[in-house]
């Protein structure tokens, strides 16, 4: 070859390509040969383990079983984890505190804590009550491990034969798990949690301990928890002293304490008692002859009392007491609360009426109501349709999607960032990722230009979403935190209320605007005293004054817009004809939740309607059509008079102005006729003392003056007329006496501060009088 590269020996100098190719081929061939040798050797070794025939089938079955078992453990762990997260050791410590609750006037309204359990040992609970309970609720209690498969199958067959629910499939352990940790929603998820919690209880506690917990923690109607409290309530005696008939009554209450309460429906209670006695015979605990006397001599119920125990409120108040008293080493307490028993009853009746009238047709079976004053003072809490059936407090613990009622906070954040009620906005919004807002009924907005207040009144989703994007969703979240609402997450549809919030939190947040922008966290405890009478807590002393979390100007402008929601928007069915109303409707997707949050100058109230298992309601259900009427009916009866403050930012309602003018005219006529004295001092507080009492005290003062040798003062009857004098036989001429210095102790008898001068005490010598005032 003649090329210069080969002449210079360049190919050999850089790479010997033939040698490299040979080496690669040799290496690969040797590696392949060794691999085949190893493979053949391994195959020969493992061939001795090869199974054929029935041994192979058995091996395949064992392998598949292990695989399925491992997969089953993974699934069980996934199902059990939510249940174990519900397990809370503090639920067993509710007996740590013994709390007696009083209303604002000092009247006892209920108890919570160990006063309900009364710590009656299981050994002292009558054998007949234990047997009646086991025969009715769980006959195989001492044989199963938390779940009774045979009992469940037997109950299923019995119920199918009777074509109604005659027996329950839940064991005592399952019922205890539900009572302690879960709500009563009828869903597969709750049943799975109940199953695993039952296994957990059985693994941690003995059968006797579980039975004792069941007797102590079960709700028995009338605001009582536990067999001892129920026995005292229904029979006026300790559970230690009950007979067979009374034990049958108590055992029949576990299933449905409200339905079978002898104070609610005596006929239903008697029928249930006979069923329990039948169960005692069927289970073999007693003979028919032994229970015959109990049938012929039914339990005597103590005189029916008007039970007005505000159980939903007390459950929440008990949690508040534990929070306040934590770490103070005081456990026997008396708490004075803010509850209004009349308003509590009215709220319960309002929810019950709504569920009864519209629940079936509109496919909702649950609800909750919270009523507070504008500063957050809680007056009523309704946590569900029936406290006897389920003690889960939906008002304080259930987080539900607020829907459009959440727009209150979005618009408030916008108002803080330069918007006004008259700011012109477009009925349209930008997209957020793959999500775009649409208004109720469909459509992404008309694009029309409208004032901000009208967008809120019509509850346009597009405008609310655009406001959250324009102002910043972080600022909306910051606004909710300022108002006491936690857990709101930053999402694209956050402005439309896609997160969870409780009725109590929502009501407190809305109350801030009714309070002129001042923080209005809901509170229910005024003061707490110990068993020795020492003041442990006083709200007036221990809590700081409410801070201004929203400017007064923003609160007033928000109130103007929220008032237009009621007068010109979606909340029209909540409008009252005697006072101004401000509020906002809310409906979540589904619809699964219907809300109305509103307030007058006196009360703030939140109403939620829906289902415990989160099932959708009938299409067309909205907060404006279902929740707003409930709010309207409740507020109509809640306002007993026209003494209603004006909502900040709104003028007085015309009806209130007319009523004030009418009262002023009546007052003027009474003054002109001499029926009522003219009020000369506007700052003087009105007297709360009856006129007859005041006249009697004046007569007493005059008598004391006479006994002290002084001239009695003229006694003027409370109804007017000429003053009268106490007869003075020793001084027929009624000679005037020297003026004496009035004794301020007389003011203790008269809150109107009339001049009832008491006689000064006779001096020991010298005839001088003492002018020392008694504080």
């Amino acid at each position: 070859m003649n090329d210069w590269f080969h002449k210079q020996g360049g190919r050999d100098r850089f790479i010997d390509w033939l040698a490299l190719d040979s080496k690669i081929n040799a290496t690969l061939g040797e590696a392949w040969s060794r691999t085949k040798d190893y493979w053949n050797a391994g195959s020969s070794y493992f061939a001795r383990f090869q199974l054929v025939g029935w041994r192979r089938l058995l091996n395949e079955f064992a392998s598949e079983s292990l695989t399925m078992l491992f997969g089953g453990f993974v699934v069980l762990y996934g199902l059990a984890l939510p249940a174990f997260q519900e397990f809370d050791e503090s639920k067993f410590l509710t007996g740590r505190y013994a709390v007696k609750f009083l209303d604002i006037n000092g009247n006892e309204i209920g108890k919570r804590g160990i006063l309900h359990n009364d710590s009656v040992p299981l050994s002292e609970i009558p054998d007949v009550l234990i047997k009646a309970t086991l025969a009715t609720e769980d006959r195989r209690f001492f044989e199963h491990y938390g779940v009774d498969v045979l009992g469940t199958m037997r109950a299923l067959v019995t119920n199918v034969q009777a074509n109604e629910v005659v027996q329950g499939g839940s064991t005592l352990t399952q019922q205890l798990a539900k009572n302690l940790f879960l709500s009563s929603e009828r869903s597969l998820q709750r049943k799975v949690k109940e199953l695993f919690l039952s296994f957990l209880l059985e693994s941690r506690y003995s059968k006797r301990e579980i039975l004792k917990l069941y007797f102590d923690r079960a709700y028995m109607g009338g605001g009582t928890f536990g067999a001892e409290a129920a026995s005292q309530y229904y029979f006026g005696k300790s559970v230690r002293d009950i007979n067979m008939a009374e034990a049958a009554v108590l055992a029949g209450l576990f299933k449905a304490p409200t339905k079978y309460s002898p104070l609610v429906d005596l006929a239903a209670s008697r029928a249930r008692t006979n069923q329990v006695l039948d169960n005692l015979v069927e289970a073999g605990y007693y003979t028919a002859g032994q229970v015959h006397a109990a049938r012929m001599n039914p339990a005597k119920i103590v005189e029916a009392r008007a039970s007005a125990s505000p159980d939903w409120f007390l459950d929440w108040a008990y949690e508040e007491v534990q929070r306040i008293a934590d770490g103070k080493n005081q456990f026997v307490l008396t708490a004075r609360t803010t509850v209004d028993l009349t308003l509590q009853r009215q709220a319960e009746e309002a929810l019950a009426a709504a569920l009864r009238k519209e629940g079936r047709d509109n496919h909702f079976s649950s609800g909750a109501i919270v009523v507070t004053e504008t500063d957050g003072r809680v007056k009523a809490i309704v946590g569900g349709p029936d406290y006897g059936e389920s003690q889960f407090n939906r008002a304080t613990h259930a987080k539900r999607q607020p829907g459009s009622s959440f727009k209150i906070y979005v618009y408030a954040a916008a108002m803080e960032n330069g918007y006004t009620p008259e700011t012109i906005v477009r009925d349209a919004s930008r997209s957020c990722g793959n999500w775009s807002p649409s208004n109720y009924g469909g459509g992404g907005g008309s694009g029309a230009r409208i004032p901000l207040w009208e967008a809120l009144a019509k509850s346009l989703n597009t405008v609310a979403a655009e406001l959250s994007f324009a102002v910043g969703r972080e600022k909306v979240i910051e606004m909710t935190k300022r108002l006491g609402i936690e857990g709101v997450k930053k999402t694209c549809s956050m402005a439309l209320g896609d997160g969870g919030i409780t009725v109590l939190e929502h009501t407190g947040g809305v109350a801030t605007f009714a309070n002129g922008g001042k923080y209005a966290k809901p509170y229910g405890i005024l003061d707490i005293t110990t068993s020795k009478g020492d003041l442990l807590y006083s709200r007036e002393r221990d809590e700081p004054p409410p801070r201004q979390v929203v400017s007064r100007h923003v609160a007033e402008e928000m109130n103007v817009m929220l008032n237009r929601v009621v007068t010109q928007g979606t909340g029209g069915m909540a409008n009252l004809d005697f006072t101004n109303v401000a509020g906002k409707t809310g409906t979540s997707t589904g619809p699964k939740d219907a809300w109305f949050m509103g307030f007058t100058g006196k009360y703030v109230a939140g109403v939620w309607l829906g289902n415990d298992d989160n099932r959708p309601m009938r299409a067309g259900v909205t907060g404006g059509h279902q929740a707003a009427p409930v709010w309207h009916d409740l507020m109509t009866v809640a306002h007993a008079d026209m003494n209603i403050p004006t909502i900040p930012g709104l003028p007085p309602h015309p009806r209130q102005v007319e009523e004030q003018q009418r009262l002023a005219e009546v007052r003027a006529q009474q003054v002109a006729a001499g029926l009522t004295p003219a009020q000369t001092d506007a700052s003087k507080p009105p007297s709360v003392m009856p006129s007859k009492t005041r006249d009697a005290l004046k007569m007493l003062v005059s008598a004391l003056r006479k006994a002290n040798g002084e001239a009695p003062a003229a006694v003027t009857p409370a109804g007017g007329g000429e003053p009268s004098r106490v007869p003075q036989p020793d001084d027929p001429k009624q000679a005037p006496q020297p003026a004496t210095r009035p004794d301020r102790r007389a003011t203790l008898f008269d809150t109107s501060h009339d001049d009832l001068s008491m006689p000064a005490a006779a001096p020991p010598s010298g005839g001088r009088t003492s002018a020392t005032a008694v504080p």
Side-chain angles (χ1 to χ4, degrees):
M1 300 181 67
N2 297 322
D3 62 278
W4 67 270
F5 187 77
H6 283 84
K7 288 181 178 180
Q8 299 299 324
R11 182 181 299 275
D12 294 333
R13 185 186 309 167
F14 292 103
I15 299 176
D16 187 352
W17 294 101
L18 292 176
L20 178 62
D21 179 69
S22 175
K23 186 174 294 186
I24 291 174
N25 288 336
T27 302
L28 291 176
E30 184 178 356
W32 176 248
S33 177
R34 288 182 179 180
T35 300
K36 290 193 296 183
D37 290 343
Y38 289 142
W39 177 260
N40 292 331
S43 298
S44 300
Y45 177 78
F46 284 106
R48 70 185 65 181
F49 300 107
Q50 185 175 5
L51 300 176
V52 295
W54 66 269
R55 291 186 178 86
R56 180 170 183 175
L57 292 176
L58 182 61
N59 179 71
E60 292 289 341
F61 178 77
S63 299
E64 295 297 332
S65 297
L66 288 174
T67 302
M68 294 180 65
L69 184 63
F70 178 77
F73 274 121
V74 173
V75 173
L76 285 175
Y77 179 77
L79 293 174
L81 190 59
F84 295 156
Q85 290 174 343
E86 297 282 352
F87 189 82
D88 184 4
E89 290 283 0
S90 65
K91 297 289 186 179
F92 299 99
L93 301 177
T94 54
R96 185 182 181 188
Y97 290 91
V99 185
K100 178 170 66 176
F101 291 96
L102 312 176
D103 64 10
I104 194 171
N105 297 317
N107 302 312
E108 183 176 336
I109 57 175
K111 300 175 182 178
R112 288 294 185 270
I114 60 174
L115 294 179
H116 281 68
N117 300 338
D118 209 23
S119 299
V120 177
L122 187 64
S123 59
E124 296 182 20
I125 295 179
D127 186 62
V128 63
L129 177 58
I130 296 176
K131 290 180 177 178
T133 303
L134 295 179
T136 304
E137 299 295 335
D138 189 359
R139 297 182 187 179
R140 288 169 40 84
F141 173 70
F142 288 99
E143 301 174 17
H144 60 69
Y145 195 74
V147 177
D148 185 8
V149 178
L150 295 178
T152 302
M153 296 299 296
R154 182 184 67 250
L156 179 63
V157 172
T158 303
N159 294 338
V160 170
Q161 291 175 345
N163 200 26
E164 62 177 342
V165 179
V166 177
Q167 294 183 6
S170 297
T171 64
L172 287 186
T173 312
Q174 289 176 276
Q175 294 179 45
L176 179 63
K178 185 189 75 171
N179 292 339
L180 289 177
F181 308 112
L182 305 173
S183 70
S184 62
E185 67 172 287
R186 297 176 180 177
S187 64
L188 180 61
Q189 183 181 15
R190 184 190 67 81
K191 270 296 183 184
V192 172
K193 289 182 179 180
E194 183 183 290
L195 179 73
F196 285 103
L197 286 172
S198 300
F199 290 143
L200 186 59
L201 288 174
E202 290 278 352
S203 65
R204 291 200 175 193
Y205 300 95
S206 67
K207 288 289 187 179
R208 292 181 60 83
E209 290 173 329
I210 292 174
L211 191 59
K212 177 64 168 62
L213 283 170
Y214 184 81
F215 279 126
D216 284 346
R217 303 300 171 85
Y219 180 68
M220 306 289 280
T224 61
F225 287 82
E228 170 65 11
S231 180
Q232 296 284 359
Y233 179 74
Y234 292 111
F235 312 126
K237 64 172 78 171
S238 171
V239 71
R240 302 174 177 88
D241 304 323
I242 61 175
N243 56 35
M244 180 181 290
E246 293 164 342
V249 172
L250 294 182
L253 291 173
F254 291 110
K255 180 179 179 181
T258 301
K259 180 179 179 181
Y260 296 124
S261 170
L263 297 178
V264 174
D265 189 339
L266 184 59
S269 176
R270 292 281 172 83
R272 177 65 172 169
T273 300
N274 283 326
Q275 186 178 358
V276 173
L277 294 174
D278 290 339
N279 292 337
L280 282 171
V281 177
E282 292 176 6
Y285 293 129
Y286 292 93
T287 65
Q290 289 174 312
V291 303
H292 180 72
R295 296 186 195 274
M296 295 296 100
N297 299 280
K300 294 181 180 180
I301 309 301
V302 295
E303 182 179 357
R305 67 210 75 178
S307 176
S309 177
D311 293 312
W312 300 112
F313 178 91
L314 292 182
D315 287 350
W316 172 70
Y318 184 55
E319 296 173 0
E320 290 294 291
V321 168
Q322 293 180 85
R323 177 183 62 81
I324 294 171
D326 184 39
K328 298 183 179 179
N329 296 322
Q330 294 291 335
F331 305 104
V332 181
L333 307 170
T334 299
R336 192 164 61 96
T337 67
T338 61
V339 67
D340 184 328
L341 295 180
T342 300
L343 192 53
Q344 175 72 33
R345 175 179 52 80
Q346 291 169 342
E348 292 175 357
E349 291 174 352
L351 178 60
L355 296 176
R356 184 173 59 253
K357 293 177 182 178
E358 297 194 33
R360 181 182 295 273
D361 293 338
N362 292 308
H363 304 164
F364 61 82
S365 59
S366 190
I369 296 175
V370 173
V371 182
T372 74
E373 292 185 356
T374 56
D375 67 340
R377 177 181 295 219
V378 178
K379 309 299 290 184
I381 292 179
V382 183
D386 185 353
Y387 189 83
E389 181 179 346
S390 167
Q391 293 84 56
F392 176 69
N393 199 329
R394 297 150 185 85
T396 60
H397 291 106
K399 289 187 174 291
R400 305 292 301 216
Q401 290 187 353
S404 292
S405 64
F406 186 82
K407 294 174 184 175
I408 295 174
Y409 313 116
V410 178
Y411 277 72
M415 303 293 283
E416 285 190 337
N417 287 271
Y419 287 79
T420 70
E422 301 300 331
T423 299
I424 300 301
V425 294
R426 291 183 65 245
D427 180 13
S429 175
R430 71 191 78 172
S431 297
C432 178
N434 296 325
W435 179 82
S436 298
S438 60
N439 292 323
Y440 180 75
S446 63
R449 297 172 63 83
I450 56 176
L452 190 66
W453 69 263
E454 185 176 346
L456 181 61
K458 293 182 177 179
S459 196
L460 298 179
N461 295 336
T462 52
V463 176
E466 178 61 26
L467 286 176
S468 70
F469 299 144
V471 173
R473 286 169 285 172
E474 297 82 2
K475 292 184 178 179
V476 177
I477 295 175
E478 191 271 334
M479 167 65 72
T480 61
K481 289 182 178 179
R482 256 189 287 158
L483 304 186
I485 300 172
E486 299 292 339
V488 178
K489 297 180 180 179
K490 180 182 177 182
T491 63
C492 291
S493 58
M494 178 188 69
L496 309 186
D498 64 352
I501 185 174
T502 68
V503 184
L504 185 68
E505 284 179 321
H506 208 355
T507 305
V510 173
T512 300
F513 302 99
N515 201 28
K518 292 185 177 180
Y519 189 47
K521 181 180 180 180
Y523 67 93
I525 306 299
L526 295 175
D527 52 59
I528 302 175
T529 56
T530 66
S531 58
K532 297 181 180 179
D534 299 328
L535 186 63
L536 183 70
Y537 166 84
S538 170
R539 177 173 179 81
E540 184 178 359
R541 181 195 67 186
D542 300 329
E543 298 293 342
R547 62 187 186 277
Q548 193 81 30
V549 293
V550 177
S551 71
R552 176 86 180 189
H553 176 69
V554 169
E556 291 178 349
E557 288 193 326
M558 281 297 301
N559 293 344
V560 170
M561 293 199 296
L562 292 173
N563 174 249
R564 291 178 177 176
V565 171
V566 177
T567 58
Q568 304 179 49
T570 59
M573 298 188 75
N575 201 16
L576 300 173
D577 61 1
F578 57 87
T579 190
N580 288 321
V581 175
K584 185 68 187 75
T585 57
T587 310
S588 68
T589 304
K592 296 181 179 179
D593 308 273
W595 295 75
F596 185 80
M597 308 299 302
F599 54 90
T600 65
K602 187 174 184 179
Y603 292 125
V604 184
V607 176
W608 166 79
L609 299 173
N611 292 301
D612 289 339
D613 58 3
N614 216 28
R615 284 182 294 108
M617 297 177 283
R618 180 185 61 82
V621 170
T622 65
H625 287 92
Q626 273 67 43
V630 179
W631 190 95
H632 172 275
D633 294 344
L634 175 58
M635 289 296 102
T636 298
V637 298
H639 294 83
D641 52 48
M642 297 295 287
N643 186 23
I644 306 172
T646 302
I647 295 176
L650 298 180
H653 192 275
R655 284 285 300 278
Q656 290 179 264
V657 175
E658 293 175 4
E659 182 67 14
Q660 292 172 359
Q661 293 174 348
R662 186 187 68 81
L663 293 176
E665 292 174 358
V666 171
R667 175 74 176 177
Q669 293 172 0
Q670 291 176 343
V671 171
L675 300 176
T676 304
Q679 186 75 24
T680 58
D681 185 4
S683 63
K684 184 177 181 181
S687 175
V688 297
M689 183 179 294
S691 58
K692 292 183 178 180
T693 303
R694 186 179 297 105
D695 291 342
L697 289 174
K698 289 180 178 179
M699 296 290 288
L700 177 61
V701 170
S702 298
L704 291 174
R705 285 180 178 275
K706 173 188 173 183
N708 202 40
E710 300 179 11
V715 180
T716 303
E722 294 295 326
S724 61
R725 283 193 174 273
V726 178
Q728 295 288 324
D730 296 333
D731 188 12
K733 295 183 180 181
Q734 301 294 334
Q737 296 292 323
T740 59
R741 187 173 182 177
D743 190 331
R744 291 175 58 194
R745 285 176 292 184
T747 60
L748 296 174
F749 297 101
D750 193 351
T751 58
S752 65
H753 309 297
D754 290 339
D755 185 17
L756 296 180
S757 300
M758 291 288 290
S765 63
R768 300 182 63 182
T769 59
S770 172
T772 304
V774 178

